[in-house]
Amino acid sequence: MNVMAKAEKKISSAFIYFFGSFGGILFGYDIGVMTGALPFLQADWHLENAASLVGWITSAVMFGVIFGGALAGQLSDKFGRRKMILMSAIVFMVFSVLSGVSPDMGETSAYYLIIVRMLLGLAVGAASALVPAYMSEMAPASARGRLSGLNQTMIVSGMLLSYVVDFLLKDLPGEWAWRLMLGLAAVPALILFLGVLRLPESPRFLLRKGDEAQARRVLTYIRKNPAEIDQELASIKETAKEERQANSKTSWSTLFSSKYRYLVIAGVGVAAFQQFQGANAIFYYIPLIVQKATGQAASSNLMWPIVQGVILVIGSLVYMWIADKFNRRTLLMVGGAVMGLSFILPAIINWMMPNMNPMTIVVFLCIYVAFYSFTWAPLTWVLVGEIFPLAIRGRASGLASSFNWIGSWLVGLIFPIMTASMPQEAVFAIFGVICILGVIFVKTCVPETRGHTLEEIEEQGTNRGRVKASNPEN
C-alpha cells in the first residue's frame, strides 16, 4: 500500500487535468474525421447519388452517442469514472479499427460501416459524458470554469487534428485514404488509455463507496492546503447527502411542475437549438459544400476543414478569455444573430446577384464558425451546468444532453438529403432562420445565470411559476 501511495504521489495535477480532459480529443477527432474521409469513401463505394446512405454513415456515430452518454452515466456510478473512461477507450480503439477494415461488398459495406460507427458512438458518448464529470469532480471550485474551457479546447483540437490527418493522407489511393483516416482514430484512444491507467479515481466516487482514506489521498495530489482538503471532503459528503434526498423526492413529472418548468424549458431549449442551428452540417460536409459551390472535387478541398478547425481552436481560447466578462444571454444572442445572418445573407445575395462568386458562401460559413466557436459551442454546456436546481439536475441535464445529441444526429442525417433536393443556399437559409428563432428563445425564455447562485436561479423559476399560475391565460 505504501509503495502504491508513493507511486501515485508522483502524479502531478497537470498530468491529471491533461489526461482527464484528453477524452475530448477522441470526441473531436471522430466529429471531424468523416469530413475528409467521406469524399474518398463516396468515390470508392460509388455512393455519389446515395444521399440517405451518406447521411446515415456520417451521422451513425451521433446515433450511438445518444445512448452511450446515458449508459456510461449509469455504469460510472457503479464502477467509477476512471474504469469507464478506460473501457470507453478500448471500445473506441476496437471499432475505429473495424471502421478502417470495412469489407468491400457493395451496398452491404455501407450497412456494415453504419452499424460499426453506431457502436463506436457508444464510446464517443461515454467519453463526452464521463470526461466533464471526472474533471468537475477533480478540479478545485476556483478552476472549474477554466477547466471547462480546457475540455472545449480539447474537443476542437481533436477536430483540427482529424482535419490535418485527412489533409496529409489525401494523396494516397482512394481506398487507403479513407480507411487510414478512420482507423487512425485508434491512436488517440490508445494514448488516452495509457494516460488514464495512471490517473486516480475521483474523490467523490471513492467517498460514495466508503473509501474516505483513498479519497483524502487523491485530494492530496491536487490540493495543497490540508484545511482545504478537510473542507472539501465535508462538502462532498454534504452534497452527496442532498442529492440522495433530492433524487428520492423527484420523478420525471417533477421537471414539468410549475416550479421547475421554466428552467427545464430554458436549459433543454438552448441545448436543442445549439445543434438544430446547423453547425455539424459544416463540420461534417465542408468539402462537399465547397464542391457543390465551386465544382471542384471535394477531395481537393481538404484545406477548408483545417481553416474551420483553426477558427474553432482560436474561438475556444477567446471564450476562455471573455467567459466571465459578458453575460451568458448577451453572448448567445449576439452569436446567434451573426450566425443566422451568415446563413441567410448568401441566399439573399444569390437571389439578387445570380452570378455571385461561389466562394461567398464559404466566407460566410467561416464567419458562422467563428461566432459559434466562442458563443453557442461552449456556453450551451456552461448554462446547462448552471441553470438546473439540485433537485432536478440529474434528470434535466440528461434530458438536455439527449435533445442535443438527437439534434446532432438529425442534422448529420438530413443535410445531404436536403442539399440533394434543393439549392444549398436555401438549406443554409433554413438553418439561419432557426438561429434567429434561437435568439428570440434566449431573449424570452432563458434567465441570466452569470453571477447568480443556484438558489437565485431557482428562485427565478419559482417566481415565474407563480406568475403563470396566477395568470393561466398567459
Side-chain angles (χ1 to χ4, degrees):
M1 178 65 73
N2 290 335
V3 174
M4 183 180 296
K6 289 180 181 178
E8 288 177 344
K9 282 204 172 187
K10 294 179 182 177
I11 305 173
S12 69
S13 58
F15 184 93
I16 291 173
Y17 296 145
F18 178 80
F19 279 102
S21 63
F22 195 83
I25 294 281
L26 271 67
F27 181 35
Y29 188 96
D30 216 83
I31 289 177
V33 68
M34 189 54 76
T35 303
L38 191 58
F40 298 99
L41 177 63
Q42 278 186 298
D44 188 30
W45 285 358
H46 309 292
L47 299 175
E48 290 85 351
N49 297 315
S52 60
L53 275 180
V54 168
W56 269 107
I57 290 172
T58 304
S59 65
V61 164
M62 289 303 163
F63 186 80
V65 166
I66 296 171
F67 305 98
L71 184 63
Q74 303 259 349
L75 293 177
S76 69
D77 285 340
K78 183 176 181 180
F79 298 109
R81 312 320 186 215
R82 176 181 173 275
K83 286 182 181 178
M84 289 308 302
I85 293 175
L86 287 170
M87 183 60 66
S88 299
I90 293 172
V91 173
F92 198 101
M93 280 188 279
V94 170
F95 288 104
S96 294
V97 172
L98 290 178
S99 296
V101 298
S102 299
D104 195 348
M105 301 181 297
E107 191 171 292
T108 305
S109 302
Y111 295 113
Y112 165 90
L113 188 55
I114 289 169
I115 293 171
V116 167
R117 283 177 58 76
M118 282 182 183
L119 295 172
L120 176 61
L122 294 176
V124 175
S128 69
L130 293 171
V131 167
Y134 181 84
M135 289 291 284
S136 68
E137 293 176 5
M138 297 296 285
S142 60
R144 279 177 190 148
R146 292 193 301 277
L147 290 173
S148 174
L150 175 61
N151 185 51
Q152 175 66 20
T153 300
M154 283 289 196
I155 292 173
V156 295
S157 296
M159 294 174 68
L160 178 57
L161 174 65
S162 72
Y163 297 150
V164 171
V165 169
D166 290 350
F167 182 80
L168 294 176
L169 297 178
K170 68 182 177 63
D171 293 325
L172 291 176
E175 180 179 359
W176 282 102
W178 70 263
R179 291 182 183 278
L180 275 175
M181 291 172 186
L182 298 183
L184 284 175
V187 175
L190 177 61
I191 295 172
L192 175 67
F193 180 84
L194 295 175
V196 174
L197 277 178
R198 292 196 63 210
L199 294 188
E201 184 51 85
S202 84
R204 181 167 181 166
F205 175 77
L206 292 169
L207 274 178
R208 287 186 60 180
K209 293 300 179 182
D211 193 349
E212 183 171 343
Q214 182 64 15
R216 180 181 294 276
R217 185 178 296 120
V218 171
L219 283 174
T220 64
Y221 310 153
I222 50 181
R223 308 286 188 270
K224 296 180 180 179
N225 189 334
E228 181 185 2
I229 293 173
D230 291 335
Q231 183 179 359
E232 186 158 350
L233 284 171
S235 176
I236 292 173
K237 291 178 183 177
E238 182 62 27
T239 301
K241 180 181 177 181
E242 290 175 358
E243 287 183 347
R244 284 194 298 270
Q245 292 174 346
N247 290 335
S248 66
K249 297 177 182 178
T250 60
S251 63
W252 283 105
S253 61
T254 308
L255 271 62
F256 303 101
S257 65
S258 60
K259 181 176 181 179
Y260 298 121
R261 187 187 308 126
Y262 166 57
L263 298 177
V264 171
I265 290 173
V268 173
V270 168
F273 268 111
Q274 186 208 41
Q275 289 300 333
F276 284 107
Q277 289 168 337
N280 278 352
I282 303 173
F283 302 148
Y284 291 149
Y285 298 111
I286 185 64
L288 299 179
I289 292 169
V290 177
Q291 173 181 285
K292 194 156 187 175
T294 65
Q296 300 173 355
S299 57
S300 66
N301 287 317
L302 296 189
M303 181 57 72
W304 280 106
I306 295 178
V307 172
Q308 307 283 2
V310 170
I311 293 172
L312 284 168
V313 171
I314 293 173
S316 73
L317 298 176
V318 169
Y319 166 73
M320 293 175 71
W321 177 52
I322 68 171
D324 295 320
K325 298 180 180 179
F326 297 93
N327 285 344
R328 316 290 193 229
R329 279 163 41 94
T330 300
L331 288 173
L332 287 173
M333 287 190 288
V334 170
V338 176
M339 288 155 54
L341 290 174
S342 299
F343 276 161
I344 294 170
L345 286 177
I348 295 174
I349 294 172
N350 188 58
W351 173 64
M352 297 177 64
M353 303 168 55
N355 295 322
M356 173 186 77
N357 186 323
M359 290 304 292
T360 301
I361 189 172
V362 181
V363 173
F364 276 105
L365 293 185
C366 290
I367 296 172
Y368 173 99
V369 171
F371 277 81
Y372 176 81
S373 67
F374 67 85
T375 58
W376 281 82
L379 274 170
T380 294
W381 300 114
V382 172
L383 191 140
V384 165
E386 294 173 335
I387 200 170
F388 298 130
L390 179 63
I392 61 167
R393 188 175 302 155
R395 286 185 171 88
S397 296
L399 187 64
S401 180
S402 295
F403 270 83
N404 186 266
W405 295 127
I406 290 170
S408 178
W409 165 60
L410 284 174
V411 168
L413 176 64
I414 67 174
F415 181 77
I417 299 173
M418 294 172 70
T419 55
S421 59
M422 67 179 77
Q424 66 179 4
E425 291 88 352
V427 175
F428 283 122
I430 293 172
F431 286 130
V433 171
I434 295 173
C435 289
I436 300 302
L437 291 176
V439 172
I440 297 171
F441 178 82
V442 170
K443 183 172 178 59
T444 57
C445 299
V446 178
E448 181 54 56
T449 61
R450 173 177 170 258
H452 293 279
T453 66
L454 294 178
E455 290 73 22
E456 289 170 343
I457 296 168
E458 181 173 352
E459 184 64 22
Q460 292 185 60
T462 303
N463 291 340
R464 180 64 67 96
R466 289 172 183 153
V467 171
K468 290 288 185 182
S470 60
N471 296 284
E473 69 277 7
N474 293 333

